[in-house]
Amino acid sequence: MNLMYRSTRDSKVAVKASEAILKGLCDDGGLFVPERIPALQKTTKELSEMDYRAVAYEVMKEFITDFTEEELKTCIANAYDEKFDTEEIAPLTFADGAYYLELFHGRTIAFKDMALSILPHLMITSARKNDIKNDIVILTATSGDTGKAALAGFADVKGTKIVVFFPKDGVSNVQKLQMITQKGDNTKVVGVDGNFDDCQTGVKKMFGDEALKNEIAGKGYQFSSANSINIGRLVPQIVYYVYAYTRLVKNERIADGDKMNVVVPTGNFGNILAAYYAKKMGLPIGKLICASNENKVLFDFFETGVYDRNRKFILTSSPSMDILISSNLERLIFHLTGDNAEATAKFMEELKSSGKYEITPEMKEGLKDFAGFYASEDATAEVIKSLYEETGYVIDTHTAVAASAYRQYCKATSDETATVIASTASPFKFARSVMTAIDKKYDELGDFELIDELSKIGNVAIPEAINEIKNADIRHKTECSVEDMKSTVQDFLR
Ligand SMILES: *Cc1c(COP(=O)(O)O)cnc(C)c1O
């Protein structure tokens, strides 16, 4: 019996995992959700004896049930290999009373690699299973991290092409260099004369353009999306929570069966939803602590039960969390309604028309698993500085938002449960913010000087991802206006 995927907005939809991976989003605009959350079939003791790939298989096989054992194991083996700079794939580092789960050891040194290393393999396997002969063309708009992680994942993967649009003046220097130096004949990177929303809107338009879809179908192509609402991104993210827990057991940091709290720096709500699913699978997770930056829509939601996006968008030092619509929250809302698609559709309709909605008191009860906190820019910088001064450990700005939330949580509750903080980016990716948080004097240094200095004071080698861009050739010089995004894609597929 296959586990089927339903739409959060229409109870009649039911598709297999491979179909949900290929489609990304439901036709009704809803998100695919598993009809039930499966339980882990192995004990945490058994899982603690396995390596990352074996744990990944145990978790993912419960969700992606229409893949054969060999298909899924091949996807996993192709994803979690030497691309990661550590055998452990997602190592834990203990500092100042918490375990930092380092999710940045992949090719682009941000946690997006955890899912985007495997998504291309899940997608081509899904295409083959569904007799799709077309090549898959991934269209992505990015504000920085997703674009590079998707490019690195899809580069030179047979049967795929990828086009990434970024706001040409709206990403950091390192992020831009990472993208425009991308290798692979099947990749195309385009700087758009507009902001991230313009890029996003342009891409959405192409997904809805029937004439364009027919035109490229004639050439043997079809579009797909790699964004974080794809269940092919969500499911691989459940794995590292199971892995983290079982490492704590294996290393006798906790007894088997003890609870573990998790703190997740949150933007689109994908990463923390994966932790929630891990808990629902039976992993002994206590609190799910949701950390926001100054764009604290989620903090307010957990406080009041009202989700309200009508507010000023704030640019912070943790840009990957600068989000006012957390798309994946729709899945939690669906579960809070008791998997009621009609009720969920109504909330989403309200969000669309008025920018806000309020959940019912019964739904609020279901939020007890979560605690919400947020960190101001000052608090974020202060945590980076004090953690470094007290322990020598340097964390990036996104992780620092979580570390600040954790300090606030401890103060508020005196909960002493072992706690894992999801560490979502390497400090090298956000070197300027990190270094100036430690000492303002560093602001005078150039980008690569800062990186050398960070390596020295943190006593960590410069990641390959940074060395790579230092001398790499610029391969992507295309820039275009918002209006010309479509013709850029047509040219690329000619
Ligand atoms: C994407 C991202 C986040 C936010 O993750 P969500 O799944 O969108 O909540 C946090 N930190 C970094 C570094 C990211 O790239």
Side-chain angles (χ1 to χ4, degrees), residues 109-112 144-146 175 228 233 237 240 264-273 291 298 318-321 323 326 328 396-399 422-426 429-430:
I109 58 177
F111 101 99
K112 305 283 193 294
D145 287 342
T146 301
Q175 286 175 321
S228 84
R233 278 187 62 179
Q237 294 180 173
Y240 46 75
V264 186
T266 298
N268 226 352
F269 210 76
N271 201 359
I272 193 164
L273 187 78
L298 288 165
S318 44
S320 303
M321 296 160 63
I323 282 176
S326 297
N328 271 295
D396 101 289
T397 45
H398 302 75
T399 309
S423 183
T424 51
S426 159
K429 197 154 191 177
F430 299 94

Side-chain angles (χ1 to χ4, degrees), residues 203-409:
V203 164
K204 277 198 182 144
K205 243 195 210 151
M206 285 187 263
F207 278 122
D209 186 336
E210 292 304 324
L212 178 64
K213 284 197 257 185
N214 286 333
E215 178 192 319
I216 67 158
K219 301 198 173 91
Y221 296 114
Q222 71 185 61
F223 291 137
S224 191
S225 146
N227 70 19
S228 84
I229 45 124
N230 194 311
I231 63 131
R233 278 187 62 179
L234 188 59
V235 171
Q237 294 180 173
I238 302 170
V239 174
Y240 46 75
Y241 292 106
V242 177
Y243 183 74
Y245 181 86
T246 54
R247 289 327 95 168
L248 293 179
V249 170
K250 181 184 167 123
N251 298 323
E252 298 180 351
R253 298 305 190 113
I254 58 174
D256 192 19
D258 282 359
K259 283 214 162 31
M260 152 184 108
N261 290 339
V262 299
V263 193
V264 186
T266 298
N268 226 352
F269 210 76
N271 201 359
I272 193 164
L273 187 78
Y276 176 73
Y277 278 11
K279 179 172 178 155
K280 295 280 167 203
M281 290 187 89
L283 195 72
I285 291 179
K287 279 282 181 211
L288 298 149
I289 300 162
C290 176
S292 302
N293 66 21
E294 289 182 357
N295 294 294
K296 59 184 185 58
V297 192
L298 288 165
F299 168 78
D300 293 340
F301 171 69
F302 287 121
E303 286 286 286
T304 62
V306 177
Y307 192 92
D308 186 357
R309 63 153 300 187
N310 301 306
R311 59 183 76 204
K312 220 175 100 212
F313 181 87
I314 301 167
L315 288 171
T316 73
S317 57
S318 44
S320 303
M321 296 160 63
D322 290 343
I323 282 176
L324 291 180
I325 298 193
S326 297
S327 318
N328 271 295
L329 186 67
E330 179 168 344
R331 288 192 167 106
L332 180 66
I333 298 293
F334 176 77
H335 296 311
L336 293 175
T337 61
D339 291 5
N340 183 331
E342 260 163 71
T344 308
K346 273 204 195 106
F347 287 122
M348 294 307 129
E349 206 38 62
E350 273 182 67
L351 180 63
K352 197 169 167 199
S353 60
S354 71
K356 65 190 245 187
Y357 60 83
E358 177 166 15
I359 59 171
T360 65
E362 299 80 65
M363 288 169 70
K364 249 190 118 181
E365 274 299 292
L367 288 181
K368 278 195 308 229
D369 291 329
F370 293 87
F373 290 91
Y374 78 97
S376 66
E377 286 292 276
D378 283 348
T380 306
E382 158 47 34
V383 157
I384 294 173
K385 183 180 167 74
S386 63
L387 188 67
Y388 168 67
E389 285 173 354
E390 285 155 29
T391 69
Y393 187 52
V394 184
I395 55 174
D396 101 289
T397 45
H398 302 75
T399 309
V401 168
S404 168
Y406 180 54
R407 286 186 180 181
Q408 296 174 51
Y409 173 78

Side-chain angles (χ1 to χ4, degrees), residues 432-450:
R432 185 163 303 277
S433 302
V434 168
M435 292 298 278
T436 54
I438 291 170
D439 194 328
K440 291 246 176 330
K441 74 176 182 200
Y442 291 122
D443 209 15
E444 288 162 16
L445 301 183
D447 285 338
F448 287 105
E449 288 171 306
L450 267 175

